[in-house]
Amino acid sequence: MTVQQPDTTEVVKEEARTRTQEPPMYRVILHNDDYTTREFVVELLVYVFHKSRNAAIELMWRVHRHGRGVAGVYDRDVAETKVAEATMLARQAEFPLQVTMEPDP
């Protein structure tokens, strides 16, 4: 008895290569004002943005002298969360600190 093999056709499927694209990044920016204390800004940078104390002091002075400074560059969700958290903490402390985000070129 002979076993017959069914007619088979081999098909090679080409693997589609997709490139993963990096998510767009956003800068979180602190804006200077005449009411928010420098000490609060330093504490905010340490607590929310995980800066070292020295880096936080340096950035606080940059914001104070130039009117604004970049606290960090993050993907959109993280940037939105950082803006919301920093703004909430500033309002709880009764400071008008403005924290915004903008696309990172």
Side-chain angles (χ1 to χ4, degrees), residues 41-103:
V41 172
V42 170
E43 293 304 317
L44 186 78
L45 290 167
V46 169
Y47 180 75
V48 176
F49 297 96
H50 306 290
K51 302 285 185 191
S52 69
R53 189 145 197 85
N54 288 339
I57 291 169
E58 232 177 85
L59 182 53
M60 175 273 297
W61 281 114
R62 188 174 311 126
V63 170
H64 184 69
R65 290 185 183 121
H66 300 288
R68 61 186 260 160
V70 177
V73 179
Y74 308 96
D75 67 35
R76 184 182 187 111
D77 290 339
V78 174
E80 286 175 345
T81 301
K82 299 277 186 189
V83 168
E85 185 177 8
T87 301
M88 178 194 67
L89 290 171
R91 297 306 171 269
Q92 285 177 349
E94 298 182 356
F95 290 121
L97 180 66
Q98 291 295 310
V99 184
T100 61
M101 60 187 258
E102 64 184 30

